[in-house]
Amino acid sequence: RKEVEQDPGPFNVPEGATVAFNCTYSNSASQSFFWYRQDCRKEPKLLMSVYSSGNEDGRFTAQLNRASQYISLLIRDSKLSDSATYLCVVRNSGYALNFGKGTSLLVTP
Amino acid sequence: EAQVTQNPRYLITVTGKKLTVTCSQNMNHEYMSWYRQDPGLGLRQIYYSMNVEVTDKGDVPEGYKVSRKEKRNFPLILESPSPNQTSLYFCASSFSGSDEQYFGPGTRLTVT
């Protein structure tokens, strides 16, 4: 079983919609959690870190549920420019990072 | 400009011909890492380095070597490339390994 699992999508949503992605991880000792964004085979870029208390950055909200071992990302008021692949990333007790395969989002006019 | 650079960006080579992909960062980061990305498999870590002369294996180290003789450079070496190493490779760096990773632009490698 892969350590980090995501629904690959694609998620096709109209502009202005709210969309949520979930990610589950298998290692209960995981320590750090992130969402990265990757545009069409370009390099991944950090979207936001995920904290136990949850965190929000503009239209984006990330939540962590340690008991159920899942992480979520909510995007409100979707823009065309939000179209990308969203990668869930988990760090265990060492320094190796585990990436999910990514969830593809397409926002349409 | 703070950045991670990789060279070459594109490379087509033949089986067995040794090659090196260079990675350099100008942010004084201690942590550097190499990943490969394949369709349907996502990003997988090859090797990482916590500091000069300190390296460790990631998930898929077989067929690769790395070295960290200077803080800014972390080359990836394929001693005898094979077609199953055809992939998109990313180098990344960060201050500590537990914070934001900055990725290079990627190297698309084809081994025939």
Side-chain angles (χ1 to χ4, degrees):
Chain A
R1 177 188 167 189
K2 189 155 170 53
E3 284 211 38
V4 180
E5 301 212 35
Q6 297 180 250
D7 182 341
F11 283 60
N12 292 340
V13 303
E15 268 186 294
T18 294
V19 60
F21 306 139
N22 286 331
C23 163
T24 59
Y25 61 95
S26 60
N27 189 334
S28 59
S30 297
Q31 298 192 350
S32 303
F33 310 89
F34 310 90
W35 284 102
Y36 277 73
R37 170 190 169 131
Q38 186 176 25
D39 294 291
C40 199
R41 304 299 266 177
K42 291 196 168 183
E43 71 271 24
K45 293 184 179 178
L46 181 68
L47 179 66
M48 56 200 308
S49 301
V50 188
Y51 305 116
S52 296
S53 54
N55 46 305
E56 186 173 312
D57 182 3
R59 298 182 292 109
F60 299 84
T61 300
Q63 301 237 311
L64 168 64
N65 184 320
R66 283 190 182 271
S68 302
Q69 293 180 210
Y70 83 77
I71 307 147
S72 64
L73 176 67
L74 183 76
I75 305 175
R76 289 180 298 277
D77 189 22
S78 300
K79 311 292 185 192
L80 296 177
S81 57
D82 293 334
S83 298
T85 297
Y86 291 84
L87 305 172
C88 177
V89 184
V90 173
R91 183 180 70 83
N92 297 330
S93 56
Y95 293 97
L97 292 180
N98 294 297
F99 283 75
K101 294 180 185 179
T103 298
S104 177
L105 172 66
L106 178 62
V107 181
T108 55
Chain B
E1 179 191 353
Q3 60 183 350
V4 179
T5 56
Q6 295 179 226
N7 282 292
R9 294 289 312 280
Y10 303 91
L11 178 60
I12 300 174
T13 189
V14 296
T15 299
K17 185 175 181 183
K18 181 179 177 179
L19 67 92
T20 299
V21 183
T22 64
C23 172
S24 184
Q25 50 91 6
N26 62 0
M27 296 170 277
N28 201 34
H29 285 167
E30 293 195 343
Y31 180 94
M32 297 185 74
S33 183
W34 276 103
Y35 300 88
R36 62 177 289 175
Q37 187 172 35
D38 303 288
L41 295 177
L43 272 157
R44 293 178 293 168
Q45 194 168 41
I46 303 171
Y47 270 96
Y48 63 95
S49 169
M50 288 306 303
N51 212 326
V52 175
E53 302 292 2
V54 181
T55 63
D56 208 348
K57 296 177 181 178
D59 292 327
V60 288
E62 294 79 20
Y64 305 94
K65 286 175 56 178
V66 292
S67 68
R68 188 91 181 273
K69 294 184 172 19
E70 304 166 281
K71 198 172 187 179
R72 63 182 294 132
N73 296 322
F74 191 44
L76 180 70
I77 302 156
L78 284 72
E79 294 271 3
S80 182
S82 61
N84 65 12
Q85 292 178 297
T86 292
S87 188
L88 177 60
Y89 290 87
F90 288 104
C91 179
S93 72
S94 68
F95 280 110
S96 69
S98 60
D99 56 356
E100 178 179 1
Q101 302 256 315
Y102 293 83
F103 283 81
T107 294
R108 190 171 294 278
L109 172 66
T110 301
V111 184
T112 61

